[in-house]
Amino acid sequence: MKPDTTLLQDARGVPKDFSSLSTAVHRASTVLFEDAESFIARGKRRYRGYSYGLYGTPTSATLARQLAVLENARHVVLAPSGLAAISLVNFAALRAGDHALLSDAMYGPTRTAAVKLFGPLGVETEFYDPLCGAAIAARIRKNTRLVWLESPGTITMEVQDVRAIAKAVRARRVLLAMDNTWATPLRFRPLEHGVDFSIQALTKYVGGHSDLLLGSVAVRDEMLYRRLRDAQGLLGIGASPDDCFLALRGLGTLAVRLERQFASALRIARWLVTRNEVQRVLHPALETDLGHAIWKRDLRGSGSVFSIVLRNVGWAAARAFTDRLRLFRIGASWGGIHSLVSVYEVPPERCYPKADAQAPIMRLSVGLEHPDDLIADLEQGLIATRGIGKPTRRK
Ligand SMILES: *Cc1c(COP(=O)(O)O)cnc(C)c1O
């Protein structure tokens, strides 16, 4: 054998006398077959086993297995982002002529994709009040195929009565999907509450370090799993083994991170409630929150992301507060070890008290910095809002 050839020979094996605590990163487009017959029959491996890099390698299979345990699911399908996971569900569940209901408080791009991507494909999307509970039944039509939940809602933090909605919808043979990124399956397991598709943006808490994009869909039903895998294959969207490795690493510390971040976030939320400069703190673990009773009934703890509205509701004050913070860095995405702040306005068409719609909402993602330091940071941010501009008059 000439060197050119020798260099291309087997360098893949894991020696028997080696083992470590780290998951191996198996990278592959090509998956090798032992003989012609198994290659010809490779389609059979689409749903089980390995046939092509797009459908995963042992690294993604390990992550999927771990997540399936967490979610109490039979199958987990991975996608290259949370939003891609959401699209997989839509492609798996919806056809032209179908009607889909989305919670009005869903993650913005989920709303936009439903209208702009699936609208032209013949799917009609309608938004419902996240607090409607069993009244969702009145919105179900003959052609309604899918109802999406997300609880608490992005930014506005409405807690949904998943049980009531699942009960109302199941009677109508409609599929239910839930974006459970905020709670993670450690706090809430959608599949145990009648939901068919449980999705997570692993980008957030599971990744936990603001350095990867990944999503997952967990299901119990075999047919739904196959449809998700088919959609994944036809769209050509697989998950990178390197990102799966990082998510597996994140899973190992997920419980302790959540514990600490939740405790810090709750302490900070309670402190914010006592501050004059703050009009509202939107966090379901606060006894005064609208969603507290359902949160307490259904969830085993909380995320560390919540929102506030300043008493001075002008944009000048919102900018002064946000710009003054030093430990809370400005940026989208959340759930990582670094604290973040972001600022939003609620679009007027949303189901949200109209009087409040002009007030900017600041979302805080509490990281692993010491809560004393985070409180000191917020305090100087709040002081910066005093006497700024004229608050917008509220009716
Ligand atoms: C960030 C986010 C997503 C999307 O996740 P990506 O990985 O950024 O695509 C979906 N749902 C919620 C609730 C999110 O916060």
Side-chain angles (χ1 to χ4, degrees):
M1 232 182 255
K2 303 265 188 306
D4 322 39
T5 312
T6 311
L7 288 173
L8 292 175
Q9 298 317 299
D10 196 358
R12 292 170 287 130
V14 180
K16 290 227 170 17
D17 57 351
F18 173 81
S19 109
S20 82
L21 293 169
S22 169
T23 312
V25 178
H26 293 280
R27 304 185 53 85
S29 52
T30 300
V31 168
L32 296 177
F33 293 82
E34 52 283 9
D35 53 29
E37 192 45 45
S38 45
F39 179 77
I40 290 161
R42 67 192 179 282
K44 286 191 197 144
R45 302 194 191 178
R46 164 75 60 94
Y47 308 110
R48 302 266 189 283
Y50 308 103
S51 58
Y52 187 55
L54 177 62
Y55 301 105
T57 72
T59 311
S60 48
T62 304
L63 176 60
R65 246 190 340 266
Q66 299 256 35
L67 290 171
V69 172
L70 264 188
E71 299 258 13
N72 198 1
R74 286 223 354 243
H75 299 288
V76 164
V77 176
L78 298 167
S81 69
L83 191 56
I86 290 164
S87 276
L88 279 185
V89 171
N90 286 331
F91 277 113
L94 297 168
R95 298 286 174 269
D98 286 345
H99 173 240
L101 283 164
L102 268 69
S103 161
D104 194 48
M106 287 198 82
Y107 177 64
T110 305
R111 295 170 48 101
T112 311
V115 174
K116 295 210 164 154
L117 180 58
F118 292 92
L121 299 176
V123 173
E124 192 185 348
T125 296
E126 238 189 301
F127 298 101
Y128 68 89
D129 179 350
L131 301 178
C132 68
I136 188 96
R139 306 293 295 276
I140 305 286
R141 304 182 195 162
K142 248 204 192 123
N143 61 339
T144 306
R145 275 299 289 158
L146 183 64
V147 174
W148 269 102
L149 298 100
E150 181 184 319
S151 181
T154 285
I155 302 159
T156 43
M157 303 296 292
E158 296 90 337
V159 179
Q160 295 200 263
D161 191 338
V162 179
R163 279 195 213 171
I165 292 175
K167 200 167 158 225
V169 158
R170 229 189 345 256
R172 307 291 205 86
R173 298 177 181 281
V174 171
L175 292 168
L176 212 61
M178 179 165 180
D179 184 333
N180 190 42
T181 301
W182 186 85
T184 83
L186 286 178
R187 304 295 192 228
F188 185 76
R189 288 171 162 180
L191 302 182
E192 293 177 354
H193 294 261
V195 170
D196 300 289
F197 300 97
S198 167
I199 84 103
Q200 277 191 89
L202 305 174
T203 306
K204 308 290 166 58
Y205 282 123
V206 172
H209 295 69
S210 309
D211 54 7
L212 67 93
L213 287 154
L214 209 58
S216 62
V217 188
V219 291
R220 289 181 168 176
D221 183 89
E222 182 69 25
M223 266 318 294
L224 296 182
Y225 166 65
R226 289 182 173 231
R227 279 201 247 159
L228 287 166
R229 283 293 250 183
D230 290 343
Q232 180 184 44
L234 294 169
L235 288 164
I237 50 175
S240 142
D242 294 297
D243 290 338
C244 291
F245 168 82
L246 289 172
L248 278 162
R249 172 180 286 198
L251 271 183
T253 55
L254 179 64
V256 282
R257 281 187 283 114
L258 269 184
E259 202 71 36
R260 162 78 175 198
Q261 285 173 269
F262 168 44
S264 296
L266 190 57
R267 204 183 127 201
I268 291 168
R270 291 200 200 289
W271 175 81
L272 285 165
V273 168
T274 68
R275 295 293 302 198
N276 248 333
E277 302 91 340
V278 177
Q279 182 196 143
R280 287 172 66 197
V281 180
L282 306 168
H283 190 320
L286 293 174
E287 293 75 7
T288 48
D289 193 84
L290 255 183
H292 184 71
I294 294 177
W295 171 79
K296 203 169 165 187
R297 184 193 73 189
D298 290 351
L299 278 85
R300 289 177 295 234
S302 189
S304 63
V305 176
F306 64 98
S307 302
I308 62 172
V309 177
L310 297 174
R311 196 168 301 282
N312 183 338
V313 296
W315 274 92
R319 287 200 182 90
F321 170 73
T322 308
D323 290 345
R324 184 64 68 94
L325 299 178
R326 288 294 167 264
L327 294 178
F328 285 87
R329 313 291 294 275
I330 302 169
S333 207
W334 47 268
I337 57 176
H338 299 93
S339 291
L340 291 175
V341 60
S342 49
V343 56
Y344 300 92
E345 63 185 336
V346 180
E349 68 275 14
R350 291 271 309 272
C351 304
Y352 185 72
K354 289 284 173 280
D356 295 344
Q358 308 127 28
I361 297 190
M362 265 66 61
R363 181 171 68 183
L364 301 174
S365 175
V366 174
L368 290 178
E369 303 90 346
H370 197 286
D372 290 349
D373 293 326
L374 293 175
I375 285 175
D377 195 37
L378 291 168
E379 181 162 33
Q380 51 98 33
L382 290 177
I383 288 168
T385 69
R386 289 186 191 161
I388 284 195
K390 240 175 127 189
T392 312
R393 255 269 268 315
R394 301 179 63 250
K395 287 169 211 112

